[in-house]
């Protein structure tokens, strides 16, 4: 297969897959670079209850497989690997995959999503997979009848904690303030669950372990300054996500947090021919359905861009 493509899509969450479906149906034969987490964040969830069209809900991984199959049916091609750098300063654009293979493209859709944030406290990195986790649906099973902590005060923390009650004996939500930013419905669900309790207004200081696995989290009271260890077999970090834009390294305009800036209601970035969709450009809505909608917009923007630009010259001159 030639390494030059009319459209390359980076990322395989709802945004990337939807962009792939639309671009493939427009006969643009998109190539999709799967990324480090094929299927995106929905592969880490179980039941998705709010994706329209599934009156009884749908399993996240099942939904993503269906989207992928749908894209393939129209001619989209998938490449395993991670986009490690890009050169968008000249045409065709260059996308380096896994630091070795280079794809060239007339247009690029960036749908690389966002990844879980970590606390950054001592012991955290060392204990990942040994009691520290960012995914309750992936790892909850390992904490059957055990005590776990969930750090965070947003919807993710409430959702993770509620899910973990299916496995764990006790779940404690640990939050740095008294108030939660989680939606009322998610908060209520957690508050009414008798397996869940709360430790509020504390700052996490350190993952405590026996050298082999987590035994607790040291926290400091924001009120009194008192330090104590909350004993637990597992600590789930659910404090939000950061956009996966490090590999862009100044090639596209991003905001101060790293989310790609798009123009008005479109998916256009500041580089003509480069478009962005999904969580990598949306720090606000961050839903599967909004990501899918923006993926659709990106593919339509690409189609219009290709119709109105001289890309044929670039693709002919660069075809390998
Ligand atoms: P979020 O809303 O940004 O909440 C992050 C939480 O972590 C906040 O409570 C924050 O505390 C806390 N936090 C951040 N950094 C911290 C640190 N270094 N140490 C300790 N605590 C820290 O993130 P999210 O919960 O992942 O939700 C993201 C978006 O996805 C939201 O729009 C949410 O509605 C959506 N979502 C929806 C669902 C659903 O509907 N099923 C499920 C999950 C997520 P402060 O409050 O003090 O800032």
């Amino acid at each position: 297969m030639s390494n030059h493509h009319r459209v390359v899509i980076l990322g395989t969450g709802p945004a990337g897959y939807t962009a792939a479906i639309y671009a493939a149906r427009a006969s643009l034969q998109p190539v999709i670079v799967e990324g480090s987490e094929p299927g995106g964040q929905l592969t880490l969830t179980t039941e998705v209850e709010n994706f329209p069209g599934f009156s009884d809900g749908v399993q996240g991984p099942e939904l993503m497989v269906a989207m992928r199959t749908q894209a393939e049916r129209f001619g989209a091609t998938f490449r395993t690997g991670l986009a490690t750098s890009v050169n968008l300063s000249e045409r065709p654009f260059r996308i380096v995959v896994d630091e070795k293979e280079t794809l060239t493209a007339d247009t690029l859709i960036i749908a690389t999503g966002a990844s879980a944030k970590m606390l950054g406290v001592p012991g955290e990195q060392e204990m990942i997979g040994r009691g520290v986790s960012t995914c309750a649906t992936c790892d909850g099973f390992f904490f059957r009848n055990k005590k776990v902590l969930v750090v965070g005060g947003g919807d993710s923390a409430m959702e993770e904690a509620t899910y973990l009650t299916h496995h764990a004996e006790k779940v404690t939500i640990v939050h740095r303030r008294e108030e939660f930013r989680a939606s009322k419905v998610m908060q209520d669900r957690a508050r009414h669950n008798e397996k869940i309790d709360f430790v509020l207004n504390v700052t996490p200081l350190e993952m405590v372990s026996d050298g082999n696995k987590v035994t607790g989290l040291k926290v400091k009271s924001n009120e009194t300054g008192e330090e104590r260890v909350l004993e637990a077999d597992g600590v789930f970090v659910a404090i939000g996500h950061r956009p996966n834009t490090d590999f862009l390294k100044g090639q596209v305009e991003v905001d101060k947090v790293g989310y790609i800036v798009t123009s008005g209601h479109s998916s256009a970035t500041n580089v003509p021919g480069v478009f962005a969709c999904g969580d990598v450009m949306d720090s606000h809505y961050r839903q599967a359905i909004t990501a899918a909608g923006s993926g659709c917009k990106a593919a339509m923007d690409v189609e219009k861009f290709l119709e109105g630009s001289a890309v044929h010259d670039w693709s002919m001159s660069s075809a390998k």
Side-chain angles (χ1 to χ4, degrees):
M1 190 199 295
S2 156
N3 267 353
H4 182 79
H5 309 283
R6 299 195 77 197
V7 53
V8 168
I9 299 171
L10 307 180
T12 47
Y17 280 147
T18 307
I21 292 166
Y22 273 75
R25 285 193 81 247
S27 303
L28 296 175
Q29 295 164 318
V31 167
I32 300 96
V33 181
E34 287 184 327
S36 58
E37 208 174 76
Q41 291 179 59
L42 277 196
T43 58
L44 307 178
T45 63
T46 48
E47 187 89 351
V48 179
E49 292 177 327
N50 52 10
F51 201 90
F54 298 91
S55 54
D56 297 323
V58 58
Q59 294 293 308
E62 199 183 307
L63 179 61
M64 301 321 291
V65 169
M67 286 189 194
R68 182 192 173 105
T69 308
Q70 194 175 355
E72 279 174 327
R73 183 156 76 88
F74 296 113
T77 322
F78 291 85
R79 288 206 175 194
T80 49
L82 183 68
T84 41
S85 65
V86 293
N87 182 350
L88 308 179
S89 61
E90 53 192 51
R91 298 172 189 278
F93 302 133
R94 293 186 167 269
I95 301 111
V96 179
V97 179
D98 290 338
E99 289 176 5
K100 44 181 199 277
E101 189 190 6
T102 300
L103 307 180
T104 58
D106 296 329
T107 59
L108 178 67
I109 295 178
I110 304 170
T112 45
S115 297
K117 279 199 225 164
M118 302 305 290
L119 291 167
V121 297
E124 182 179 47
Q125 285 301 321
E126 298 88 309
M127 286 298 128
I128 288 175
R130 293 198 273 166
V132 172
S133 171
T134 56
C135 177
T137 48
C138 314
D139 300 328
F141 180 80
F142 302 116
F143 297 91
R144 192 166 287 273
N145 301 325
K146 302 218 161 146
K147 286 187 188 137
V148 297
L149 310 177
V150 176
V151 183
D155 280 338
S156 294
M158 302 302 137
E159 189 173 64
E160 300 269 282
T162 305
Y163 175 80
L164 283 165
T165 60
H166 300 317
H167 298 289
E169 174 193 298
K170 186 90 215 153
V171 180
T172 303
I173 294 178
V174 180
H175 182 37
R176 64 184 178 183
R177 294 189 294 135
E178 295 280 353
E179 303 79 31
F180 293 113
R181 74 173 60 229
S183 57
K184 188 171 179 312
V185 60
M186 306 282 277
Q187 273 189 55
D188 287 349
R189 201 172 289 173
R191 283 187 196 282
H192 292 141
N193 191 318
E194 59 185 22
K195 279 189 167 181
I196 298 179
D197 64 8
F198 299 87
V199 173
L200 302 179
N201 211 2
V202 294
T203 302
L205 293 181
E206 185 185 343
M207 278 313 156
V208 184
S209 76
D210 62 7
N212 186 38
K213 58 180 173 33
V214 163
T215 55
L217 176 69
K218 188 192 270 188
V219 296
K220 183 171 90 173
S221 163
N222 294 336
E223 218 172 347
T224 63
E226 181 204 347
E227 293 182 10
R228 63 177 162 138
V229 175
L230 305 173
E231 287 181 10
D233 305 292
V235 180
F236 287 80
V237 180
I239 60 169
H241 292 80
R242 59 194 292 271
N244 294 320
T245 49
D246 288 353
F247 72 100
L248 294 171
K249 289 194 185 75
Q251 299 275 330
V252 167
E253 187 185 349
V254 296
D255 70 12
K256 60 181 187 316
V257 186
Y259 287 92
I260 296 175
V261 176
T262 51
S263 167
H265 293 298
S266 82
S267 64
T269 69
N270 66 318
V271 180
V274 178
F275 302 85
C277 53
D279 285 11
V280 76
M281 49 67 74
D282 174 16
S283 60
H284 184 69
Y285 294 104
R286 294 189 283 194
Q287 300 300 298
I289 188 64
T290 53
S294 74
C296 159
K297 285 164 66 173
M300 291 176 74
D301 289 343
V302 158
E303 202 182 344
K304 286 272 173 274
F305 180 86
L306 289 172
E307 276 169 9
S309 71
V311 290
H312 302 295
D313 295 338
W314 312 325
S315 48
M316 280 167 66
S317 61
S318 62
K320 304 220 163 51

